[in-house]
Amino acid sequence: MTTMDGCAHDIGSWDLLIAYPPCTYLSNAGAVRMRVNGEIVPERYAKMLEAKAFFLNFWDAAIPKICVENPVPMKLCELPLYTQIVQPYEHGHPYSKRTCLWLKGLPKLEPTNIVENHVPYVNGGCKDAYGNYMRFQGRKERDPKIRAKTFSGIAAAMAEQWG
């Protein structure tokens, strides 16, 4: 398998794989860009199919323990059903950001440090108590690399519970 860095990897000999494939063309958040005037955009659809194939290479790998992480996918992708959704606030962070885990041979991730008061990590059109859309609050999570970053509390839970 060749990853985004252009390097080839033989993944058949690993006992545990935790994969974070790019979600740009799979995420439900990008579904609004899939159609223009009700018609599927062929270029974007082709990229979605490539992203799905890349995702499934991890999911179908001959490895006994697999976790594939991604946001909630758009229905058009027809990915396998995810096993669980985790939240950063379940692992010590003051944010919500739904993250799906597809698990094979692994138990569900257990919360490690639930934070009661939390806010959305990315303002996805959330409304305040008065029904007004919340404005960007000056946080840097609008940057795609920052938005895609795995929360350290979730990564630590994976290492502790599955390592």
Side-chain angles (χ1 to χ4, degrees), residues 47-123:
K47 288 181 179 184
M48 183 268 297
L49 291 176
E50 288 177 31
K52 177 183 178 180
F54 188 69
F55 179 104
L56 292 175
N57 280 333
F58 292 118
W59 185 240
D60 295 332
I63 298 171
K65 298 176 183 175
I66 297 174
C67 171
V68 183
E69 180 271 354
N70 238 241
V72 175
M74 67 177 120
K75 290 182 183 179
L76 188 62
C77 296
E78 297 180 332
L79 289 178
L81 184 63
Y82 50 83
T83 309
Q84 89 177 106
I85 290 179
V86 296
Q87 293 277 4
Y89 65 76
E90 297 173 325
H91 301 280
H93 301 279
Y95 302 111
S96 62
K97 180 185 175 208
R98 289 170 33 138
T99 302
C100 299
L101 302 179
W102 285 257
L103 304 174
K104 278 188 183 177
L106 291 168
K108 289 183 178 180
L109 201 61
E110 296 293 329
T112 55
N113 179 13
I114 296 175
V115 175
E116 295 295 331
N117 295 321
H118 52 272
V119 296
Y121 187 62
V122 176
N123 180 359

Side-chain angles (χ1 to χ4, degrees), residues 97 121-122 140-151:
K97 180 185 175 208
Y121 187 62
V122 176
K140 296 179 182 178
E141 66 274 3
R142 291 282 178 173
D143 177 85
K145 287 184 180 181
I146 293 172
R147 270 196 330 258
K149 189 174 182 179
T150 300
F151 286 88

Side-chain angles (χ1 to χ4, degrees), residues 34-48:
M34 185 59 76
R35 296 180 190 271
V36 173
N37 297 324
E39 300 293 323
I40 291 178
V41 179
E43 298 83 13
R44 192 157 184 99
Y45 185 77
K47 288 181 179 184
M48 183 268 297

